[in-house]
Amino acid sequence: MEPNVFLLTIDSLRADKIFGNARTSLTSHIDRLIKNGTCFTQAISTADGTGISLGSLFTASYPFTTGITHFKFNPKAVTYFQIFKNNGYHICATIPDISFLLKFTENVDEKDPYIYDNRRAWLKLGGGIGQLIIDKLEKMPKTPWLYYVLLEDLHTPFFMPKEFDSEKYGETDYERMVSYIDLWIGKFLEKIDLSNTVVIISADHGDHIP
């Protein structure tokens, strides 16, 4: 039986905030995935913008070969969504309602775009997006599936939950948000059969230093 695939992209995630001695975030669930899986410590984004870097992630090609940017979509580009679909996978996506991403996921079987451009109506993980993802994982078909999720909670401006606004979860707001996202990753993992699912956590690009 072909394995399921859960691909989670966290916008603006910096590698040094989830592994290494300099981090102050609490990431027990990410730590467990790193310990029991593979961690690519030298992965380099192809661009410093979401659209361009995700274009590379979806096609396994450099931007100059795909012609894809955040404002320009190449309909002839072959994405892994199509490849997996051609091989019998059920494809789902939970993504921000950005035109670039809506075009990229145009042919998936199930799509749940959430409001992002209007920040006042942006639900975020704790406002409904997290539960939507959990509900989707609980109702996945028995056939092999690929579920793609793009989270924007780590993208500024932060909407810090009060219970995580503490030095216990990190020295900076950014690191505290990483701890918060890790909490939700744990909830997602509880709904996944890890014996038959490949779990991939990725970023689109990092964030500014410092």
Side-chain angles (χ1 to χ4, degrees), residues 18-19 23 27 29-39:
I18 58 172
F19 63 83
R23 62 184 178 136
T27 55
H29 302 294
I30 294 176
D31 293 347
R32 179 161 61 96
L33 290 174
I34 291 175
K35 181 179 179 180
N36 296 298
T38 302
C39 180

Side-chain angles (χ1 to χ4, degrees), residues 21-178:
N21 296 327
R23 62 184 178 136
T24 63
S25 304
L26 297 181
T27 55
S28 60
H29 302 294
I30 294 176
D31 293 347
R32 179 161 61 96
L33 290 174
I34 291 175
K35 181 179 179 180
N36 296 298
T38 302
C39 180
F40 296 93
T41 60
Q42 295 297 318
I44 299 174
S45 177
T46 60
D48 61 353
T50 300
I52 303 176
S53 58
L54 287 183
S56 291
L57 181 66
F58 292 150
T59 62
S61 301
Y62 288 110
F64 63 83
T65 65
T66 63
I68 297 172
T69 70
H70 192 73
F71 305 101
K72 179 183 177 183
F73 176 72
N74 179 6
K76 295 182 180 180
V78 179
T79 69
Y80 63 73
F81 293 124
Q82 190 59 51
I83 294 172
F84 273 82
K85 193 170 184 178
N86 291 345
N87 284 274
Y89 275 72
H90 184 81
I91 313 297
C92 304
T94 298
I95 54 172
D97 60 347
I98 301 171
S99 60
F100 170 86
L101 290 166
L102 295 176
K103 290 179 180 177
F104 245 123
T105 57
E106 191 171 23
N107 296 318
V108 304
D109 298 302
E110 296 181 42
K111 180 163 54 180
D112 299 300
Y114 59 87
I115 296 174
Y116 177 69
D117 284 340
N118 182 357
R119 293 302 182 91
R120 291 183 179 180
W122 181 25
L123 294 178
K124 305 173 291 300
L125 275 170
I129 302 303
Q131 188 60 49
L132 185 154
I133 295 168
I134 289 173
D135 293 343
K136 181 71 69 175
L137 288 169
E138 289 180 334
K139 299 176 182 178
M140 282 295 179
K142 293 183 179 180
T143 55
W145 49 261
L146 184 155
Y147 184 20
Y148 176 66
V149 175
L150 173 57
L151 297 179
E152 296 286 354
D153 290 64
L154 197 55
H155 195 291
T156 55
F158 299 134
F159 293 87
M160 178 71 65
K162 290 183 179 180
E163 61 270 30
F164 277 80
D165 191 12
S166 165
E167 291 184 358
K168 173 183 176 182
Y169 297 104
E171 293 180 353
T172 67
D173 286 352
Y174 184 99
E175 289 170 313
R176 295 170 190 177
M177 284 301 297
V178 171

